[in-house]
Amino acid sequence: MPGIIVLVGVLVLYALGYRFYSRYLADRVYALDPDFVVPSREFEDGVDYVPTNKHVLFGHHFTSIAGAAPIVGPAIAVFWGWGPALAWVVLGTIFAAGVHDFGALVVSVRNKAQSIGTLTSEVINARARTLFLLIIFFLLTLVNAVFAVVIAILFETNPGAVIPIFLEIPLAIGIGRYIYRTRSGALVPSLIGVALLYVMIPVGQAFPISLDGVAGTLGTTPRVLWVLIMFTYAFIACRLPVWVLLQPRDYINSHQLFIALAVIFLGLSIGLDRIDAPFVRTAVPEGSPSWFPFLFVTIACGAISGFHSLVSSGTTAKQLASEPDARYVGYMGAIGEGSLALGAILAVSAGLSQSLGDWEGLYPDFGTAADGAVGNFVNGVAQFVNYLGVPLSTGAVFAAVVVVSFAATTMDTGVRLQRYVIEEIGQAAGVRVLQRNIWVSTSLAVIVPLGMALIPGGDDRGFTFGRLWTLFGTTNQLTAGLALAVVAVWVLMRRRNPLAVLVPLIFLLLMTSWALLLNLKTFIEQGDILLTVLDLVIFVLAMWLIVEAVGALRRARAVLQREREGTGVR
C-alpha cells in the first residue's frame, strides 16, 4: 500500500477528532470557563507561574511531551506489523491521549496548578497521594535516565549533531531575553533560531565532536561523559526561570517538529514509497512477546502516556493564560505527538527498506527491533530527506538533531518535574529540607537518575536499557491509567458523565496489569531478583491505588444518587 494513503487518512481522522471530540470534552465533560482565574494569573511570579500565549505554550507543552518515546515505541512496535501499531496510535491519540492530557491540565488548573500526585489527595484521599507520588517518582527517574542514555547514544553515533544541538542553547537564551524584555511576539525570532540551527548542520558535519580521546584519558567511555554532560545541563536548566531557556527553546523545537513532520510527509509524497512491512506479522519469531498486551505498553507516547499528565499538571498548568486554551494546548498537543508517532511508523515501514525481505532483515527478532529503533528511524527519515535533494548523510544528521532536541527538552522538563515531586514528597513526609531547600531537591532529581543511567547492565547500552527498560513502558502506562482515575472521580463529583474518561481508564489498567503480571512471571523464571522485586512493588502499589480510586468513584456516585433521590429526580 502507498504510504501517502495512510498518511492522508490518519490526518483526516485527527482533524475530525479535534473538531468534534475535543469540543465535546471541552463543553460537556470538562466544562471550560473563560472567566475562571487561572493559577498563572493568580500566582504570577515571573519564574514558574507565567501567563503565556497559547501558541507559545503549545510549543513548550508539545516539545516537552514529544521526546524520543513517540519515535522509539512505534519503531519497535512495527515488529508486530504496521497495522496494529497504527491502529493503537490513532485510536489512542483521539480517544485516550486527548482525554488524558486535556483532563489532567484542566483538573490541575482548577486546583491551583497542583500536580496530579497532589491532586490525588484531594480527589481520592491522602493515602492515595503517597502511593501515586511514589509511582511518579519512579517513572520520572526512568524517564530522565532513559533520555540521557538515548542522547548519549545519538551523540556517539552522530557526532555531527553535537554543534547544532549545543548552539541551540545560547540561541534560545538570547531569544527568551529578547521576547521577555521587548514583549514582542515569539514567532519571527524563533523561526530565525530554527534557520540558524539548520545552517549549523553542515558545520557540525565538517567539525564532528567526539569525546573518544577525552574518555580514553579519563579511563571511561564517551557514553558516560555524554550522560554526565546532559545531567549537568539539566541541573542548570531546571533552575532557570521558564522564560529564559525552557519556553524559547521549546518554541524553536515546536517549529522543528513541524518541519520534521513536513519533511517526512513531503518526502513520502514525492518518493511514493510503499509500505514494505507486513500489515500484521503472522510469522512472529519464536520467543517473541505477544502483541496483546505488550503493544499497548511498547507504544506509550504517541498513543497515551502517563508522563504527559505530569507535564500538563506540572509546568503547563502554571503557564496557561486562559482555561479555554486548555483544549488547544492539551488535546492538540496529543494530536501532535500522535502525528510524530505516525511519522515514525511510516519512516520504519516505508522509508527504511525496498522490499519485505530487506525489512525483515532489520526486524529479525524483538531484541533487534528494540536495539535498532532510533537508528531505523534516523535512516528512514534520511531517505525521505534524500527525495528532497539532500544527501543521505546530511539527512541522517538532520534526523538526529530532531531526536536529540526533543529528548533533551523532555529530560529538562522531567528533571524540573522531579524536583516538584521531591518537594511534594518532603511535604507529605514532613521533611522540611526536601520541601524548602531547592538545592537539595534539584540535586536529588539529578543524582538518582544519573546513578541509574551509569550503573552497568546486561549489555553495552547501560543499566537503564539493559535491565530496566522493560519496566519503563508498563510504569508509564500505569501512571496514565491512574491519572485518568483521578480525572474520572473529579468529573463525576461535578455531576458530569465520566464515560469518556472511564473507557480508556479501564482498558489501560487491564493491559498494563496484564503486562506487569506476564513480566513478573518472566523475571521469576529468569531468576532476575531485581526486576522481580521492582515489578512486584509497582504492581502492588498500582493495585492498592486502583482500590482507592474505585472506592472514591463509588462514594461520589453514592452522593449523587442521594442528591437525586432527595430532589425526586429519576
Side-chain angles (χ1 to χ4, degrees):
M1 175 186 292
I4 188 65
I5 295 177
V6 174
L7 169 64
V8 173
V10 171
L11 293 181
V12 168
L13 291 174
Y14 284 164
L16 293 174
Y18 182 75
R19 173 65 179 83
F20 296 105
Y21 197 57
S22 74
R23 172 59 65 187
Y24 165 76
L25 295 172
D27 294 343
R28 304 293 297 277
V29 180
Y30 302 136
L32 302 185
D33 181 5
D35 297 324
F36 181 78
V37 180
V38 294
S40 68
R41 300 192 184 279
E42 183 178 359
F43 308 112
E44 184 174 359
D45 60 6
V47 179
D48 291 320
Y49 294 86
V50 181
T52 305
N53 176 278
K54 70 178 183 178
H55 300 292
V56 176
L57 183 57
F58 172 80
H60 155 68
H61 180 79
F62 191 7
T63 51
S64 294
I65 64 175
I71 293 170
V72 176
I76 296 173
V78 170
F79 170 80
W80 291 297
W82 65 268
L86 185 66
W88 173 229
V89 164
V90 174
L91 294 175
T93 294
I94 295 173
F95 297 108
V99 176
H100 170 271
D101 297 14
F102 188 3
L105 179 55
V106 172
V107 175
S108 178
V109 167
R110 284 296 182 97
N111 289 272
K112 302 184 184 300
Q114 296 180 59
S115 74
I116 196 70
T118 300
L119 287 170
T120 306
S121 177
E122 298 184 8
V123 175
I124 300 178
N125 58 45
R127 184 170 53 247
R129 175 197 180 189
T130 302
L131 296 171
F132 205 175
L133 284 176
L134 290 173
I135 294 173
I136 291 172
F137 179 84
F138 184 70
L139 171 62
L140 285 172
T141 300
L142 281 172
V143 166
N144 296 329
V146 163
F147 283 115
V149 177
V150 166
I151 293 169
I153 292 172
L154 285 170
F155 278 155
E156 272 193 297
T157 56
N158 298 275
V162 175
I163 288 180
I165 288 297
F166 279 89
L167 173 71
E168 187 180 11
I169 297 173
L171 273 176
I173 292 174
I175 291 171
R177 293 185 66 85
Y178 171 78
I179 294 171
Y180 185 76
R181 290 186 173 184
T182 63
R183 301 294 179 181
S184 58
L187 179 60
V188 174
S190 63
L191 287 174
I192 294 174
V194 172
L196 291 174
L197 179 66
Y198 289 156
V199 165
M200 295 305 294
I201 287 180
V203 177
Q205 286 183 284
F207 302 98
I209 303 297
S210 172
L211 297 183
D212 290 351
V214 177
T217 301
L218 297 176
T220 184
T221 66
R223 190 162 304 175
V224 169
L225 291 183
W226 282 125
V227 168
L228 290 170
I229 289 171
M230 290 311 303
F231 274 110
T232 301
Y233 156 77
F235 180 89
I236 298 171
C238 80
R239 291 294 312 280
L240 297 174
V242 291
W243 62 267
V244 173
L245 175 60
L246 188 63
Q247 284 185 349
R249 192 198 54 204
D250 287 354
Y251 203 41
I252 289 174
N253 286 343
S254 70
H255 294 311
Q256 261 210 100
L257 182 51
F258 286 119
I259 291 170
L261 289 173
V263 166
I264 293 173
F265 296 162
L266 184 59
L268 177 68
S269 303
I270 293 175
L272 295 176
D273 281 353
R274 299 184 64 84
I275 296 178
D276 298 315
F279 181 78
V280 177
R281 191 172 189 178
T282 55
V284 176
E286 185 177 354
S288 301
S290 170
W291 73 270
F292 207 91
F294 286 104
L295 171 69
F296 306 103
V297 296
T298 300
I299 300 181
C301 300
I304 179 173
S305 165
F307 180 74
H308 296 189
S309 67
L310 309 186
V311 176
S312 292
S313 65
T315 57
T316 305
K318 294 178 174 65
Q319 301 171 64
L320 197 74
S322 173
E323 192 170 87
D325 291 351
R327 178 191 176 209
Y328 175 75
V329 175
Y331 196 94
M332 183 62 79
I335 287 180
E337 176 136 308
S339 299
L340 180 58
L342 168 64
I345 291 173
L346 292 173
V348 300
S349 62
L352 188 61
S353 57
Q354 299 299 317
S355 68
L356 176 60
D358 291 342
W359 184 87
E360 289 179 337
L362 296 169
Y363 283 84
D365 55 68
F366 190 78
T368 303
D371 292 349
V374 175
N376 289 338
F377 173 80
V378 167
N379 293 331
V381 171
Q383 182 60 60
F384 290 147
V385 175
N386 185 244
Y387 291 142
L388 305 179
V390 178
L392 282 171
S393 59
T394 303
V397 174
F398 164 79
V401 166
V402 170
V403 176
V404 172
S405 295
F406 298 158
T409 299
T410 302
M411 183 181 170
D412 179 354
T413 303
V415 172
R416 186 180 293 257
L417 291 172
Q418 186 81 318
R419 170 165 64 86
Y420 296 157
V421 170
I422 290 172
E423 291 169 356
E424 291 180 19
I425 291 175
Q427 181 183 17
V431 182
R432 300 181 67 179
V433 68
L434 295 180
Q435 182 182 353
R436 299 186 178 182
N437 192 317
I438 193 172
W439 288 100
V440 173
S441 59
T442 304
S443 297
L444 285 175
V446 168
I447 291 172
V448 175
L450 171 62
M452 182 179 293
L454 294 182
I455 296 174
D459 55 35
D460 64 352
R461 290 173 301 163
F463 184 69
T464 300
F465 279 88
R467 307 200 65 201
L468 288 181
W469 176 257
T470 51
L471 285 179
F472 172 75
T474 49
T475 308
N476 194 27
Q477 298 303 73
L478 175 62
T479 305
L482 300 176
L484 283 170
V486 174
V487 174
V489 174
W490 184 86
V491 169
L492 184 59
M493 290 171 61
R494 277 143 190 83
R495 301 167 180 81
R496 302 183 201 122
N497 188 347
L499 187 62
V501 184
L502 287 175
V503 171
L505 159 64
I506 294 171
F507 177 79
L508 208 58
L509 290 181
L510 284 174
M511 294 300 104
T512 304
S513 300
W514 187 0
L516 279 168
L517 287 174
L518 291 177
N519 275 335
L520 182 62
K521 179 176 179 292
T522 300
F523 298 151
I524 292 174
E525 291 174 348
Q526 294 175 347
D528 195 323
I529 298 176
L530 175 63
L531 290 188
T532 298
V533 172
L534 288 174
D535 190 290
L536 186 60
V537 168
I538 294 170
F539 181 76
V540 170
L541 288 173
M543 294 303 102
W544 192 352
L545 190 49
I546 289 170
V547 170
E548 300 286 355
V550 170
L553 282 168
R554 294 181 65 180
R555 290 192 297 271
R557 184 179 178 184
V559 170
L560 294 179
Q561 183 65 30
R562 287 195 297 268
E563 290 180 354
R564 284 195 294 265
E565 291 174 352
T567 57
V569 177
R570 294 289 186 270

